[in-house]
């Protein structure tokens, strides 16, 4: 299988060779497992009035809440437990699909479960409801248009829920001057270092060190625009080893030195 991230998929020639959608109502807890029986299709699952917890083969867990959209890739193995039912109309809408490249090789968006925050994507629930309610959407062409519409909506700035690494992101944000180790950050998330690195890359698109440095440089911009402290003081406050290192990093980030940036942008 070929991994093609969502943002790249919309610029890739691919074929939708299978699509099926189903709405299911849940009133009591429901357990499902495909451990030992890898999934044969990709799945988008829209949660409406319930939550779900996935336990992976390695014991790590991933949780999604009502309103989230979950992606599970072809070939994945996990145990899922639905819970937190809000009312008798709590339900899920699932779209199972297979996509291939031009040579016929299967495509997945990730090797891991992804959870999308679609709170600002009103079109996506509409597309999912349409997939199970409208006969037109169940035709060969209609169903594929539906999938393309969902993928397009998701690719337009949709945030991936950072649930499993949220403690690490929060710590980095609140301790911007520190330089925690990968081991420290992984322990805060209760996952292994290897899995932490992988999940961090999936959810942020970068490494912990680059993410941390961007936080520091974003903060430097605020100091320079709205504060009066010196460049040396800013460097110290943000945890840079030397002021020359800070100046070099800031120039690479903004294109100009900290002093020049202050002169150009002082509020």
């Amino acid at each position: 299988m070929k991994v093609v991230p969502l943002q790249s998929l919309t610029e890739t020639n691919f074929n939708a060779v299978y699509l099926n959608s189903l709405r299911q109502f849940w009133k009591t807890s429901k357990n499902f497992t495909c451990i030992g029986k890898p999934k044969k299709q990709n799945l988008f699952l829209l949660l409406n009035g319930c939550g779900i917890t996935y336990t992976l083969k390695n014991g790590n867990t991933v949780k999604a809440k009502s309103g989230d959209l979950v992606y599970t890739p072809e070939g994945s193995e996990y145990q899922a437990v639905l819970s937190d039912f809000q009312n008798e109309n709590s339900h899920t809408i699932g779209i199972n699909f297979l996509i291939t490249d031009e040579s016929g090789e299967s495509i997945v968006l990730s090797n891991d479960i992804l959870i999308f925050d679609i709170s600002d994507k009103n079109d996506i629930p509409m597309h999912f409801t349409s997939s199970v309610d409208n006969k037109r959407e169940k035709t060969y062409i209609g169903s594929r248009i539906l999938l393309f519409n969902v993928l397009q909506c998701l690719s337009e700035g949709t945030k991936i829920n950072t649930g499993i690494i949220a403690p690490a992101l929060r710590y980095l944000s609140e301790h911007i001057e520190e330089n925690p180790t990968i081991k420290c950050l992984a322990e805060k998330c209760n996952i292994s270092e290897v899995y932490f690195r992988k999940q961090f890359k999936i959810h942020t698109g970068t490494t912990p060190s680059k993410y941390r440095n961007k936080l520091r440089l974003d903060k430097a911009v605020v100091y320079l625009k709205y504060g009066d402290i010196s460049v040396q003081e800013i460097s110290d406050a943000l945890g840079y080893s030397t002021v020359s290192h800070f100046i070099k990093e800031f120039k690479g980030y903004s294109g100009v030195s900290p002093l020049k940036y202050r002169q150009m942008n002082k509020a």
Side-chain angles (χ1 to χ4, degrees):
M1 283 179 287
K2 178 190 296 185
V3 178
V4 181
L6 182 61
Q7 286 70 22
S8 301
L9 184 64
T10 53
E11 301 174 0
T12 303
N13 289 326
F14 66 91
N15 301 308
V17 297
Y18 174 83
L19 188 144
N20 182 55
S21 56
L22 177 68
R23 176 191 277 122
Q24 293 179 283
F25 288 89
W26 309 100
K27 296 182 180 179
T28 59
S29 295
K30 173 67 176 179
N31 297 326
F32 169 80
T33 183
C34 59
I35 294 178
K37 299 179 180 180
K39 285 184 60 63
K40 296 181 179 180
Q41 298 98 25
N42 297 286
L43 171 67
F44 278 133
L45 189 69
L46 180 66
L47 305 178
N48 191 338
C50 59
I52 190 167
T53 299
Y54 295 91
T55 302
L56 311 181
K57 286 179 66 177
N58 60 10
N60 291 317
T61 60
V62 179
K63 296 183 179 181
K65 65 183 184 306
S66 176
D68 285 342
L69 179 65
V70 182
Y71 168 77
T72 56
E74 177 187 356
S76 58
E77 298 181 53
Y78 53 80
Q79 180 183 32
V81 179
L82 287 99
S83 59
D84 302 326
F85 304 102
Q86 296 177 3
N87 53 58
E88 61 182 10
N89 292 318
S90 297
H91 65 276
T92 59
I93 299 178
I95 297 180
N96 289 286
F97 64 98
L98 286 173
I99 51 179
T100 64
D101 64 12
E102 293 177 306
S103 67
E105 182 178 1
S106 292
I107 291 175
V108 295
L109 307 182
S110 167
N111 285 322
D112 297 280
I113 294 173
L114 303 178
I115 301 175
F116 295 93
D117 176 0
I118 57 169
S119 56
D120 62 343
K121 298 286 182 179
N122 295 329
D123 285 352
I124 291 179
M126 177 189 70
H127 288 313
F128 272 73
T129 300
S130 179
S131 73
V132 292
D133 288 347
N134 297 340
K135 292 182 179 179
R136 180 178 62 82
E137 303 293 357
K138 295 179 180 179
T139 64
Y140 180 87
I141 295 177
S143 63
R144 279 146 184 78
I145 291 175
L146 164 73
L147 178 61
F148 297 150
N149 285 339
V150 170
L151 292 171
Q152 182 65 37
C153 287
L154 286 174
S155 68
E156 294 173 349
T158 302
K159 296 178 180 179
I160 297 179
N161 190 311
T162 57
I164 198 167
I165 62 165
L169 297 181
R170 185 165 55 250
Y171 186 85
L172 289 171
S173 178
E174 294 174 352
H175 301 82
I176 199 169
E177 76 288 352
E178 295 183 12
N179 186 20
T181 64
I182 295 296
K183 180 180 179 181
C184 171
L185 296 173
E187 286 177 349
K188 292 184 181 301
C189 303
N190 295 314
I191 56 179
S192 70
E193 294 179 46
V194 172
Y195 191 62
F196 172 78
R197 289 179 186 275
K198 189 174 183 179
Q199 288 297 309
F200 199 96
K201 181 71 173 180
I202 289 172
H203 292 305
T204 68
T206 189
T207 64
S209 61
K210 290 180 179 179
Y211 181 88
R212 170 180 173 262
N213 202 39
K214 186 177 186 306
L215 287 179
R216 293 196 294 175
L217 293 170
D218 286 345
K219 188 69 172 180
V221 165
V222 175
Y223 283 142
L224 291 166
K225 289 182 68 174
Y226 302 105
D228 295 317
I229 62 176
S230 68
V231 171
Q232 177 70 63
E233 289 172 320
I234 294 173
S235 175
D236 292 342
L238 297 178
Y240 284 94
S241 56
T242 64
V243 67
S244 59
H245 182 210
F246 165 61
I247 292 172
K248 180 180 179 181
E249 290 292 320
F250 190 87
K251 191 169 184 179
Y253 173 75
S254 68
V256 296
S257 70
L259 283 178
K260 182 66 174 179
Y261 186 89
R262 172 171 274 169
Q263 293 169 0
M264 295 168 57
N265 297 279
K266 186 65 176 177

